[in-house]
Amino acid sequence: MRAVLVTGGAGFIGSGLVHHLIAHTDAVVTVLDKLTGAGNRDSLTGVPDERLRFVRGDVCDVAVVDELVAGQDVVVHCAAESHNDAALRDPRPFVDTNIVGTAVVLEACRRHDVRLHHVSTDEVFGDLALDDPTRFTEASPYRPSSPYAASKASADHLVRAWVRSFGLRATLSSCSNTYGPRQHVEKLIPRQVTNILDGRRPRLYGSGAHVRDWIHVEDHSAAVLRIIEAGRIGETYLVGADGEHSNREVLAMVLQLMGQSADAFDHVRDRPGHDVRYAIDATRLRHELGWRPQHTDLEAGLSETITWYREHEAWWRPHKATVEQEYEREGR
Ligand code: NAD
Ligand code: TYD
């Protein structure tokens, strides 16, 4: 694998993957990123110039995508509109980028016969009840509940259709909630950490009983690389690290790690249609490809993540006020 294109490589997962590819392969990485509010060129700081080509552009732009895909060994498609709250404000960009953009990437990979890995989410399966003893597997039915999840589910269906109808060499991964450095301050953990750093009280949606299955971004990246190396074409691999916690529990850890009292937060309006619980059974990935998560201590991972936000205020500061103004308008 000499040449890899990462779409959305200035975003949270994409930049984590680029850093991982630089550290663990010899590949030269091309990043195509539109730098929407969620993307940040500084997330690629530290990647040596000779290993990185950065192109600002849109995955929906057929000419740009076609030119960049030609000559690659692998394309990893991470570019997406990714935030549920943003999709509830305006779903249209989710349809454009996540569905149409994926179709553009698929067509370019088909034209140039390039191997594709499509980065998806466990949210395509909808949610589970809190007392449901089961977890999502590769056989779980698609039941997306939010506009974001529905757009990602649509993209997954396109990828599978291109594999079956055109023989495209593609794999998919559906990963659970990912945390770590370089995640936008609109998402749960960075929002609360930066709120506390700013002297604001964290905001918990509804009761806070909702459960997410947390995985560190380095483990997510390692899983994607393993699937690129050894995954079976046409297959989906669920990625998760047995990290189920309620939002209340995660916030309690953040408060404690940052020296705040346990009740120093506010309950705010719940998210409409809020998925209750996600949980991943990653048996296929573990058994078939030998992947194992390294960051299994959530508290230790959160502590390192908090340190990163403390030390990188210049990275998040420009976005914080705008994000909070939008939440403020919605009573969150
Ligand atoms: P992100 O919002 O941090 O990053 C998305 C990146 O895509 C940004 O850099 C943005 O500028 C870029 N982008 C958006 N629209 C574009 C367009 N039209 N053309 C080119 N670039 C565009 O999101 P993320 O959390 O890094 O998510 C990336 C992928 O990983 C998504 O497909 C998401 O579904 C998936 N995923 C995320 C998580 C998570 O917890 N964050 C979990 C599982 C799967
Ligand atoms: P988020 O990070 O937006 O990820 P996702 O919607 O993909 O799960 O939210 C994670 C959980 O945290 C979700 O249940 C919503 C909740 N949440 C809050 O309680 N407060 C907040 O300020 C945010 C942004 C999210």
Side-chain angles (χ1 to χ4, degrees), residues 82-85 121-123 148 177-178 183 185-192 195 202-206 208 210-212 214 247 251 268 270-271 274-276 278 324 327 332:
S82 70
H83 190 37
N84 272 308
D85 292 320
T121 165
D122 60 355
E123 300 192 28
Y148 160 65
N177 281 66
T178 308
Q183 187 171 29
V185 289
E186 66 197 355
K187 303 281 170 74
L188 174 70
I189 291 170
R191 183 180 184 211
Q192 314 313 341
N195 272 355
R203 309 283 205 271
L204 196 59
Y205 293 177
H210 307 79
V211 168
R212 297 295 183 262
W214 293 97
N247 295 338
L251 181 55
V268 291
D270 207 351
R271 174 187 281 169
H274 198 172
D275 278 345
V276 172
Y278 306 136
E324 289 306 322
Y327 278 130
R332 293 195 182 83

mmCIF file of all heavy atoms in Angstrom, residues 82-85 121-123 148 177-178 183 185-192 195 202-206 208 210-212 214 247 251 268 270-271 274-276 278 324 327 332, ligand 2:
data_model
loop_
_atom_site.group_PDB
_atom_site.id
_atom_site.type_symbol
_atom_site.label_atom_id
_atom_site.label_comp_id
_atom_site.label_asym_id
_atom_site.label_seq_id
_atom_site.Cartn_x
_atom_site.Cartn_y
_atom_site.Cartn_z
ATOM 1 N N SER A 82 -21.393 14.742 10.182
ATOM 2 C CA SER A 82 -21.321 13.690 11.198
ATOM 3 C C SER A 82 -22.088 13.964 12.496
ATOM 4 O O SER A 82 -22.087 13.108 13.371
ATOM 5 C CB SER A 82 -19.853 13.448 11.559
ATOM 6 O OG SER A 82 -19.341 14.557 12.280
ATOM 7 N N HIS A 83 -22.721 15.141 12.615
ATOM 8 C CA HIS A 83 -23.292 15.447 13.934
ATOM 9 C C HIS A 83 -24.814 15.417 13.937
ATOM 10 O O HIS A 83 -25.466 16.160 13.197
ATOM 11 C CB HIS A 83 -22.782 16.810 14.400
ATOM 12 C CG HIS A 83 -23.113 17.096 15.834
ATOM 13 N ND1 HIS A 83 -23.106 16.132 16.818
ATOM 14 C CD2 HIS A 83 -23.467 18.250 16.457
ATOM 15 C CE1 HIS A 83 -23.447 16.671 17.969
ATOM 16 N NE2 HIS A 83 -23.680 17.949 17.779
ATOM 17 N N ASN A 84 -25.373 14.578 14.802
ATOM 18 C CA ASN A 84 -26.830 14.420 14.879
ATOM 19 C C ASN A 84 -27.561 15.731 15.123
ATOM 20 O O ASN A 84 -28.599 15.997 14.508
ATOM 21 C CB ASN A 84 -27.181 13.429 16.000
ATOM 22 C CG ASN A 84 -27.182 12.002 15.503
ATOM 23 O OD1 ASN A 84 -27.828 11.682 14.502
ATOM 24 N ND2 ASN A 84 -26.442 11.136 16.173
ATOM 25 N N ASP A 85 -27.046 16.562 16.018
ATOM 26 C CA ASP A 85 -27.742 17.819 16.314
ATOM 27 C C ASP A 85 -27.768 18.733 15.092
ATOM 28 O O ASP A 85 -28.755 19.422 14.841
ATOM 29 C CB ASP A 85 -27.088 18.527 17.511
ATOM 30 C CG ASP A 85 -27.296 17.758 18.810
ATOM 31 O OD1 ASP A 85 -28.397 17.225 19.010
ATOM 32 O OD2 ASP A 85 -26.351 17.681 19.610
ATOM 33 N N THR A 121 -21.010 3.822 10.644
ATOM 34 C CA THR A 121 -21.313 3.984 12.072
ATOM 35 C C THR A 121 -22.312 2.932 12.546
ATOM 36 O O THR A 121 -23.125 2.436 11.742
ATOM 37 C CB THR A 121 -21.906 5.398 12.314
ATOM 38 O OG1 THR A 121 -22.503 5.446 13.595
ATOM 39 C CG2 THR A 121 -22.980 5.744 11.296
ATOM 40 N N ASP A 122 -22.297 2.646 13.844
ATOM 41 C CA ASP A 122 -23.294 1.716 14.398
ATOM 42 C C ASP A 122 -24.688 2.337 14.419
ATOM 43 O O ASP A 122 -25.678 1.629 14.639
ATOM 44 C CB ASP A 122 -22.884 1.248 15.810
ATOM 45 C CG ASP A 122 -22.741 2.390 16.811
ATOM 46 O OD1 ASP A 122 -22.860 3.569 16.424
ATOM 47 O OD2 ASP A 122 -22.506 2.087 18.002
ATOM 48 N N GLU A 123 -24.774 3.649 14.178
ATOM 49 C CA GLU A 123 -26.093 4.310 14.261
ATOM 50 C C GLU A 123 -27.033 3.857 13.147
ATOM 51 O O GLU A 123 -28.236 4.097 13.212
ATOM 52 C CB GLU A 123 -25.928 5.831 14.276
ATOM 53 C CG GLU A 123 -25.091 6.270 15.458
ATOM 54 C CD GLU A 123 -25.107 7.760 15.726
ATOM 55 O OE1 GLU A 123 -26.105 8.423 15.400
ATOM 56 O OE2 GLU A 123 -24.105 8.260 16.275
ATOM 57 N N TYR A 148 -29.079 11.871 10.213
ATOM 58 C CA TYR A 148 -27.665 11.503 10.043
ATOM 59 C C TYR A 148 -27.539 9.999 9.810
ATOM 60 O O TYR A 148 -26.897 9.550 8.849
ATOM 61 C CB TYR A 148 -26.862 11.927 11.280
ATOM 62 C CG TYR A 148 -25.546 11.211 11.444
ATOM 63 C CD1 TYR A 148 -24.512 11.372 10.513
ATOM 64 C CD2 TYR A 148 -25.325 10.343 12.524
ATOM 65 C CE1 TYR A 148 -23.299 10.694 10.673
ATOM 66 C CE2 TYR A 148 -24.123 9.671 12.677
ATOM 67 C CZ TYR A 148 -23.115 9.850 11.753
ATOM 68 O OH TYR A 148 -21.921 9.177 11.900
ATOM 69 N N ASN A 177 -19.316 4.979 19.191
ATOM 70 C CA ASN A 177 -18.901 6.351 19.547
ATOM 71 C C ASN A 177 -17.413 6.392 19.857
ATOM 72 O O ASN A 177 -16.932 5.654 20.723
ATOM 73 C CB ASN A 177 -19.686 6.841 20.767
ATOM 74 C CG ASN A 177 -21.068 7.292 20.401
ATOM 75 O OD1 ASN A 177 -21.889 6.479 19.976
ATOM 76 N ND2 ASN A 177 -21.344 8.577 20.556
ATOM 77 N N THR A 178 -16.724 7.266 19.163
ATOM 78 C CA THR A 178 -15.270 7.337 19.250
ATOM 79 C C THR A 178 -14.891 8.600 20.016
ATOM 80 O O THR A 178 -15.552 9.629 19.890
ATOM 81 C CB THR A 178 -14.697 7.345 17.816
ATOM 82 O OG1 THR A 178 -15.264 6.222 17.113
ATOM 83 C CG2 THR A 178 -13.192 7.231 17.805
ATOM 84 N N GLN A 183 -11.358 15.944 18.392
ATOM 85 C CA GLN A 183 -12.792 15.835 18.094
ATOM 86 C C GLN A 183 -13.438 17.206 18.283
ATOM 87 O O GLN A 183 -13.148 17.917 19.245
ATOM 88 C CB GLN A 183 -13.455 14.798 19.012
ATOM 89 C CG GLN A 183 -14.918 14.535 18.626
ATOM 90 C CD GLN A 183 -15.540 13.370 19.375
ATOM 91 O OE1 GLN A 183 -15.152 13.073 20.504
ATOM 92 N NE2 GLN A 183 -16.502 12.708 18.754
ATOM 93 N N VAL A 185 -15.672 20.401 19.105
ATOM 94 C CA VAL A 185 -16.276 20.759 20.404
ATOM 95 C C VAL A 185 -17.808 20.702 20.420
ATOM 96 O O VAL A 185 -18.430 20.949 21.445
ATOM 97 C CB VAL A 185 -15.826 22.167 20.888
ATOM 98 C CG1 VAL A 185 -14.377 22.144 21.309
ATOM 99 C CG2 VAL A 185 -16.083 23.235 19.843
ATOM 100 N N GLU A 186 -18.427 20.325 19.287
ATOM 101 C CA GLU A 186 -19.881 20.144 19.281
ATOM 102 C C GLU A 186 -20.273 18.785 19.884
ATOM 103 O O GLU A 186 -21.422 18.590 20.272
ATOM 104 C CB GLU A 186 -20.426 20.237 17.846
ATOM 105 C CG GLU A 186 -19.964 19.117 16.943
ATOM 106 C CD GLU A 186 -20.148 19.392 15.450
ATOM 107 O OE1 GLU A 186 -20.717 20.425 15.086
ATOM 108 O OE2 GLU A 186 -19.696 18.552 14.655
ATOM 109 N N LYS A 187 -19.336 17.838 19.969
ATOM 110 C CA LYS A 187 -19.653 16.477 20.418
ATOM 111 C C LYS A 187 -19.557 16.366 21.947
ATOM 112 O O LYS A 187 -18.897 17.181 22.601
ATOM 113 C CB LYS A 187 -18.709 15.465 19.752
ATOM 114 C CG LYS A 187 -18.730 15.484 18.228
ATOM 115 C CD LYS A 187 -19.924 14.757 17.646
ATOM 116 C CE LYS A 187 -20.078 14.970 16.147
ATOM 117 N NZ LYS A 187 -19.136 14.276 15.310
ATOM 118 N N LEU A 188 -20.196 15.323 22.511
ATOM 119 C CA LEU A 188 -20.381 15.238 23.967
ATOM 120 C C LEU A 188 -19.112 15.501 24.786
ATOM 121 O O LEU A 188 -19.094 16.424 25.615
ATOM 122 C CB LEU A 188 -20.938 13.854 24.357
ATOM 123 C CG LEU A 188 -21.020 13.619 25.876
ATOM 124 C CD1 LEU A 188 -22.094 14.471 26.516
ATOM 125 C CD2 LEU A 188 -21.254 12.153 26.199
ATOM 126 N N ILE A 189 -18.084 14.699 24.603
ATOM 127 C CA ILE A 189 -16.935 14.780 25.517
ATOM 128 C C ILE A 189 -16.164 16.092 25.346
ATOM 129 O O ILE A 189 -15.943 16.809 26.333
ATOM 130 C CB ILE A 189 -16.056 13.509 25.393
ATOM 131 C CG1 ILE A 189 -16.833 12.314 25.970
ATOM 132 C CG2 ILE A 189 -14.705 13.687 26.103
ATOM 133 C CD1 ILE A 189 -16.219 10.948 25.726
ATOM 134 N N PRO A 190 -15.774 16.473 24.109
ATOM 135 C CA PRO A 190 -15.060 17.758 23.986
ATOM 136 C C PRO A 190 -15.902 18.948 24.435
ATOM 137 O O PRO A 190 -15.370 19.912 24.985
ATOM 138 C CB PRO A 190 -14.763 17.864 22.480
ATOM 139 C CG PRO A 190 -14.950 16.505 21.943
ATOM 140 C CD PRO A 190 -15.895 15.783 22.827
ATOM 141 N N ARG A 191 -17.209 18.866 24.224
ATOM 142 C CA ARG A 191 -18.049 20.004 24.649
ATOM 143 C C ARG A 191 -17.986 20.177 26.161
ATOM 144 O O ARG A 191 -17.813 21.298 26.652
ATOM 145 C CB ARG A 191 -19.504 19.791 24.202
ATOM 146 C CG ARG A 191 -20.357 20.987 24.582
ATOM 147 C CD ARG A 191 -21.809 20.881 24.174
ATOM 148 N NE ARG A 191 -22.486 22.129 24.513
ATOM 149 C CZ ARG A 191 -23.754 22.230 24.854
ATOM 150 N NH1 ARG A 191 -24.522 21.166 24.864
ATOM 151 N NH2 ARG A 191 -24.275 23.402 25.155
ATOM 152 N N GLN A 192 -18.116 19.074 26.895
ATOM 153 C CA GLN A 192 -18.151 19.211 28.363
ATOM 154 C C GLN A 192 -16.775 19.586 28.903
ATOM 155 O O GLN A 192 -16.662 20.405 29.823
ATOM 156 C CB GLN A 192 -18.664 17.925 29.013
ATOM 157 C CG GLN A 192 -19.910 17.326 28.375
ATOM 158 C CD GLN A 192 -21.029 18.327 28.108
ATOM 159 O OE1 GLN A 192 -21.070 19.421 28.675
ATOM 160 N NE2 GLN A 192 -21.944 17.971 27.213
ATOM 161 N N ASN A 195 -16.281 23.189 28.131
ATOM 162 C CA ASN A 195 -17.162 23.977 29.006
ATOM 163 C C ASN A 195 -16.516 24.161 30.367
ATOM 164 O O ASN A 195 -16.467 25.277 30.904
ATOM 165 C CB ASN A 195 -18.522 23.274 29.196
ATOM 166 C CG ASN A 195 -19.527 23.638 28.113
ATOM 167 O OD1 ASN A 195 -19.259 24.486 27.266
ATOM 168 N ND2 ASN A 195 -20.671 22.987 28.123
ATOM 169 N N PRO A 202 -21.349 21.822 32.417
ATOM 170 C CA PRO A 202 -21.671 20.834 31.378
ATOM 171 C C PRO A 202 -23.177 20.659 31.214
ATOM 172 O O PRO A 202 -23.941 20.926 32.143
ATOM 173 C CB PRO A 202 -21.030 19.548 31.902
ATOM 174 C CG PRO A 202 -19.923 20.004 32.773
ATOM 175 C CD PRO A 202 -20.423 21.269 33.416
ATOM 176 N N ARG A 203 -23.585 20.206 30.039
ATOM 177 C CA ARG A 203 -25.013 20.060 29.715
ATOM 178 C C ARG A 203 -25.304 18.607 29.366
ATOM 179 O O ARG A 203 -24.738 18.066 28.408
ATOM 180 C CB ARG A 203 -25.367 20.915 28.487
ATOM 181 C CG ARG A 203 -24.919 22.371 28.555
ATOM 182 C CD ARG A 203 -25.853 23.151 29.461
ATOM 183 N NE ARG A 203 -25.856 24.570 29.131
ATOM 184 C CZ ARG A 203 -25.028 25.459 29.652
ATOM 185 N NH1 ARG A 203 -24.093 25.087 30.504
ATOM 186 N NH2 ARG A 203 -25.125 26.735 29.311
ATOM 187 N N LEU A 204 -26.238 18.012 30.124
ATOM 188 C CA LEU A 204 -26.612 16.623 29.880
ATOM 189 C C LEU A 204 -28.024 16.597 29.284
ATOM 190 O O LEU A 204 -28.951 17.147 29.875
ATOM 191 C CB LEU A 204 -26.587 15.881 31.223
ATOM 192 C CG LEU A 204 -26.565 14.366 31.202
ATOM 193 C CD1 LEU A 204 -25.351 13.810 30.460
ATOM 194 C CD2 LEU A 204 -26.596 13.847 32.634
ATOM 195 N N TYR A 205 -28.178 15.925 28.133
ATOM 196 C CA TYR A 205 -29.495 15.870 27.489
ATOM 197 C C TYR A 205 -30.426 14.940 28.269
ATOM 198 O O TYR A 205 -30.067 13.787 28.533
ATOM 199 C CB TYR A 205 -29.396 15.324 26.069
ATOM 200 C CG TYR A 205 -28.666 16.197 25.072
ATOM 201 C CD1 TYR A 205 -28.472 15.741 23.765
ATOM 202 C CD2 TYR A 205 -28.182 17.460 25.403
ATOM 203 C CE1 TYR A 205 -27.812 16.516 22.827
ATOM 204 C CE2 TYR A 205 -27.528 18.239 24.474
ATOM 205 C CZ TYR A 205 -27.340 17.752 23.192
ATOM 206 O OH TYR A 205 -26.687 18.511 22.260
ATOM 207 N N GLY A 206 -31.631 15.431 28.567
ATOM 208 C CA GLY A 206 -32.639 14.594 29.214
ATOM 209 C C GLY A 206 -32.129 14.037 30.531
ATOM 210 O O GLY A 206 -31.434 14.711 31.293
ATOM 211 N N GLY A 208 -29.959 11.629 30.897
ATOM 212 C CA GLY A 208 -28.552 11.199 30.849
ATOM 213 C C GLY A 208 -28.402 9.692 30.968
ATOM 214 O O GLY A 208 -27.291 9.171 31.077
ATOM 215 N N HIS A 210 -29.034 7.608 28.626
ATOM 216 C CA HIS A 210 -28.689 7.062 27.309
ATOM 217 C C HIS A 210 -27.285 6.464 27.335
ATOM 218 O O HIS A 210 -26.373 7.047 27.924
ATOM 219 C CB HIS A 210 -28.775 8.160 26.252
ATOM 220 C CG HIS A 210 -30.099 8.871 26.251
ATOM 221 N ND1 HIS A 210 -30.416 9.846 27.176
ATOM 222 C CD2 HIS A 210 -31.184 8.717 25.465
ATOM 223 C CE1 HIS A 210 -31.650 10.265 26.968
ATOM 224 N NE2 HIS A 210 -32.138 9.593 25.926
ATOM 225 N N VAL A 211 -27.151 5.321 26.660
ATOM 226 C CA VAL A 211 -25.877 4.591 26.712
ATOM 227 C C VAL A 211 -25.183 4.642 25.361
ATOM 228 O O VAL A 211 -25.810 4.420 24.315
ATOM 229 C CB VAL A 211 -26.124 3.118 27.128
ATOM 230 C CG1 VAL A 211 -24.878 2.269 26.917
ATOM 231 C CG2 VAL A 211 -26.568 3.067 28.588
ATOM 232 N N ARG A 212 -23.877 4.953 25.393
ATOM 233 C CA ARG A 212 -23.028 4.889 24.206
ATOM 234 C C ARG A 212 -21.892 3.913 24.494
ATOM 235 O O ARG A 212 -21.514 3.711 25.649
ATOM 236 C CB ARG A 212 -22.473 6.287 23.859
ATOM 237 C CG ARG A 212 -23.564 7.320 23.494
ATOM 238 C CD ARG A 212 -24.274 6.922 22.216
ATOM 239 N NE ARG A 212 -25.288 7.857 21.744
ATOM 240 C CZ ARG A 212 -26.605 7.721 21.964
ATOM 241 N NH1 ARG A 212 -27.062 6.715 22.719
ATOM 242 N NH2 ARG A 212 -27.462 8.569 21.443
ATOM 243 N N TRP A 214 -18.141 3.366 24.059
ATOM 244 C CA TRP A 214 -17.005 4.232 23.710
ATOM 245 C C TRP A 214 -15.765 3.463 23.292
ATOM 246 O O TRP A 214 -15.416 2.448 23.886
ATOM 247 C CB TRP A 214 -16.672 5.158 24.898
ATOM 248 C CG TRP A 214 -17.788 6.130 25.139
ATOM 249 C CD1 TRP A 214 -18.792 6.009 26.051
ATOM 250 C CD2 TRP A 214 -18.047 7.341 24.413
ATOM 251 N NE1 TRP A 214 -19.660 7.077 25.940
ATOM 252 C CE2 TRP A 214 -19.222 7.908 24.949
ATOM 253 C CE3 TRP A 214 -17.398 8.006 23.357
ATOM 254 C CZ2 TRP A 214 -19.776 9.098 24.483
ATOM 255 C CZ3 TRP A 214 -17.943 9.191 22.891
ATOM 256 C CH2 TRP A 214 -19.114 9.728 23.446
ATOM 257 N N ASN A 247 -24.418 8.321 29.517
ATOM 258 C CA ASN A 247 -23.854 9.672 29.419
ATOM 259 C C ASN A 247 -23.601 10.252 30.810
ATOM 260 O O ASN A 247 -22.638 10.987 31.017
ATOM 261 C CB ASN A 247 -24.804 10.581 28.636
ATOM 262 C CG ASN A 247 -24.957 10.139 27.188
ATOM 263 O OD1 ASN A 247 -24.084 9.444 26.661
ATOM 264 N ND2 ASN A 247 -26.048 10.527 26.547
ATOM 265 N N LEU A 251 -20.030 11.675 32.032
ATOM 266 C CA LEU A 251 -19.902 13.034 32.555
ATOM 267 C C LEU A 251 -19.349 13.021 33.989
ATOM 268 O O LEU A 251 -18.507 13.864 34.348
ATOM 269 C CB LEU A 251 -21.257 13.757 32.494
ATOM 270 C CG LEU A 251 -21.250 15.202 32.990
ATOM 271 C CD1 LEU A 251 -20.204 16.043 32.257
ATOM 272 C CD2 LEU A 251 -22.635 15.834 32.817
ATOM 273 N N VAL A 268 -30.499 19.462 30.436
ATOM 274 C CA VAL A 268 -31.131 20.357 29.454
ATOM 275 C C VAL A 268 -32.111 19.552 28.591
ATOM 276 O O VAL A 268 -32.188 18.320 28.711
ATOM 277 C CB VAL A 268 -30.052 21.054 28.564
ATOM 278 C CG1 VAL A 268 -29.242 22.043 29.381
ATOM 279 C CG2 VAL A 268 -29.159 20.040 27.868
ATOM 280 N N ASP A 270 -34.017 17.366 26.036
ATOM 281 C CA ASP A 270 -33.523 16.163 25.358
ATOM 282 C C ASP A 270 -33.474 16.389 23.846
ATOM 283 O O ASP A 270 -34.152 17.275 23.314
ATOM 284 C CB ASP A 270 -34.438 14.973 25.685
ATOM 285 C CG ASP A 270 -33.696 13.649 25.606
ATOM 286 O OD1 ASP A 270 -32.531 13.629 25.144
ATOM 287 O OD2 ASP A 270 -34.287 12.624 26.006
ATOM 288 N N ARG A 271 -32.682 15.585 23.176
ATOM 289 C CA ARG A 271 -32.599 15.626 21.702
ATOM 290 C C ARG A 271 -33.830 14.915 21.134
ATOM 291 O O ARG A 271 -34.144 13.790 21.575
ATOM 292 C CB ARG A 271 -31.323 14.902 21.289
ATOM 293 C CG ARG A 271 -31.129 14.717 19.808
ATOM 294 C CD ARG A 271 -29.917 13.821 19.519
ATOM 295 N NE ARG A 271 -28.660 14.502 19.632
ATOM 296 C CZ ARG A 271 -27.470 13.892 19.630
ATOM 297 N NH1 ARG A 271 -27.395 12.578 19.537
ATOM 298 N NH2 ARG A 271 -26.361 14.583 19.704
ATOM 299 N N HIS A 274 -33.971 10.956 20.286
ATOM 300 C CA HIS A 274 -32.693 10.527 20.883
ATOM 301 C C HIS A 274 -32.569 9.000 20.987
ATOM 302 O O HIS A 274 -33.335 8.366 21.716
ATOM 303 C CB HIS A 274 -32.609 11.158 22.280
ATOM 304 C CG HIS A 274 -31.258 11.202 22.873
ATOM 305 N ND1 HIS A 274 -30.986 11.871 24.032
ATOM 306 C CD2 HIS A 274 -30.082 10.661 22.479
ATOM 307 C CE1 HIS A 274 -29.706 11.755 24.326
ATOM 308 N NE2 HIS A 274 -29.137 11.006 23.395
ATOM 309 N N ASP A 275 -31.594 8.419 20.309
ATOM 310 C CA ASP A 275 -31.355 6.970 20.406
ATOM 311 C C ASP A 275 -30.976 6.612 21.843
ATOM 312 O O ASP A 275 -30.133 7.273 22.461
ATOM 313 C CB ASP A 275 -30.232 6.544 19.458
ATOM 314 C CG ASP A 275 -30.731 6.349 18.027
ATOM 315 O OD1 ASP A 275 -31.958 6.258 17.827
ATOM 316 O OD2 ASP A 275 -29.888 6.292 17.113
ATOM 317 N N VAL A 276 -31.579 5.528 22.339
ATOM 318 C CA VAL A 276 -31.428 5.180 23.759
ATOM 319 C C VAL A 276 -30.086 4.512 24.044
ATOM 320 O O VAL A 276 -29.381 4.863 24.990
ATOM 321 C CB VAL A 276 -32.599 4.263 24.199
ATOM 322 C CG1 VAL A 276 -32.377 3.720 25.607
ATOM 323 C CG2 VAL A 276 -33.911 5.028 24.128
ATOM 324 N N TYR A 278 -26.565 2.288 22.172
ATOM 325 C CA TYR A 278 -25.808 1.575 21.139
ATOM 326 C C TYR A 278 -24.877 0.599 21.844
ATOM 327 O O TYR A 278 -24.313 0.924 22.900
ATOM 328 C CB TYR A 278 -24.921 2.519 20.312
ATOM 329 C CG TYR A 278 -25.615 3.707 19.675
ATOM 330 C CD1 TYR A 278 -25.027 4.965 19.726
ATOM 331 C CD2 TYR A 278 -26.822 3.576 18.992
ATOM 332 C CE1 TYR A 278 -25.624 6.076 19.134
ATOM 333 C CE2 TYR A 278 -27.428 4.680 18.405
ATOM 334 C CZ TYR A 278 -26.822 5.923 18.479
ATOM 335 O OH TYR A 278 -27.409 7.005 17.895
ATOM 336 N N GLU A 324 -21.576 27.059 20.991
ATOM 337 C CA GLU A 324 -22.400 27.293 22.183
ATOM 338 C C GLU A 324 -23.583 28.215 21.884
ATOM 339 O O GLU A 324 -24.661 28.046 22.461
ATOM 340 C CB GLU A 324 -21.550 27.840 23.335
ATOM 341 C CG GLU A 324 -20.605 26.808 23.922
ATOM 342 C CD GLU A 324 -21.306 25.504 24.368
ATOM 343 O OE1 GLU A 324 -22.433 25.561 24.891
ATOM 344 O OE2 GLU A 324 -20.714 24.431 24.157
ATOM 345 N N TYR A 327 -26.262 25.977 20.389
ATOM 346 C CA TYR A 327 -26.897 25.176 21.439
ATOM 347 C C TYR A 327 -27.812 26.045 22.315
ATOM 348 O O TYR A 327 -28.899 25.632 22.700
ATOM 349 C CB TYR A 327 -25.841 24.486 22.305
ATOM 350 C CG TYR A 327 -25.290 23.207 21.702
ATOM 351 C CD1 TYR A 327 -23.920 22.993 21.604
ATOM 352 C CD2 TYR A 327 -26.140 22.198 21.267
ATOM 353 C CE1 TYR A 327 -23.413 21.818 21.078
ATOM 354 C CE2 TYR A 327 -25.641 21.015 20.734
ATOM 355 C CZ TYR A 327 -24.274 20.831 20.651
ATOM 356 O OH TYR A 327 -23.783 19.664 20.134
ATOM 357 N N ARG A 332 -30.094 24.030 24.777
ATOM 358 C CA ARG A 332 -29.206 22.940 25.171
ATOM 359 C C ARG A 332 -27.834 23.479 25.538
ATOM 360 O O ARG A 332 -26.838 22.917 25.457
ATOM 361 C CB ARG A 332 -29.033 21.924 24.017
ATOM 362 C CG ARG A 332 -30.283 21.188 23.724
ATOM 363 C CD ARG A 332 -30.082 19.965 22.870
ATOM 364 N NE ARG A 332 -31.369 19.375 22.617
ATOM 365 C CZ ARG A 332 -32.215 19.758 21.665
ATOM 366 N NH1 ARG A 332 -31.852 20.697 20.832
ATOM 367 N NH2 ARG A 332 -33.394 19.199 21.533
HETATM 368 P P1 TYD B 2 -22.707 12.965 20.455
HETATM 369 O O1 TYD B 2 -21.289 13.176 20.899
HETATM 370 O O2 TYD B 2 -23.396 14.056 19.735
HETATM 371 O O3 TYD B 2 -22.693 11.607 19.609
HETATM 372 P P2 TYD B 2 -23.932 10.686 19.043
HETATM 373 O O4 TYD B 2 -25.127 11.545 18.875
HETATM 374 O O5 TYD B 2 -23.371 10.228 17.742
HETATM 375 O O6 TYD B 2 -24.095 9.571 20.032
HETATM 376 O O7 TYD B 2 -23.570 12.615 21.725
HETATM 377 C C1 TYD B 2 -23.265 11.501 22.551
HETATM 378 C C2 TYD B 2 -24.362 11.370 23.577
HETATM 379 O O8 TYD B 2 -24.303 12.490 24.467
HETATM 380 C C3 TYD B 2 -25.755 11.390 22.999
HETATM 381 O O9 TYD B 2 -26.569 10.497 23.744
HETATM 382 C C4 TYD B 2 -26.226 12.826 23.202
HETATM 383 C C5 TYD B 2 -25.536 13.234 24.473
HETATM 384 N N1 TYD B 2 -25.148 14.650 24.624
HETATM 385 C C6 TYD B 2 -25.397 15.330 25.830
HETATM 386 O O10 TYD B 2 -25.989 14.768 26.787
HETATM 387 N N2 TYD B 2 -24.985 16.623 25.953
HETATM 388 C C7 TYD B 2 -24.344 17.291 24.956
HETATM 389 O O11 TYD B 2 -24.002 18.478 25.124
HETATM 390 C C8 TYD B 2 -24.076 16.586 23.721
HETATM 391 C C9 TYD B 2 -23.389 17.278 22.576
HETATM 392 C C10 TYD B 2 -24.496 15.266 23.605
#
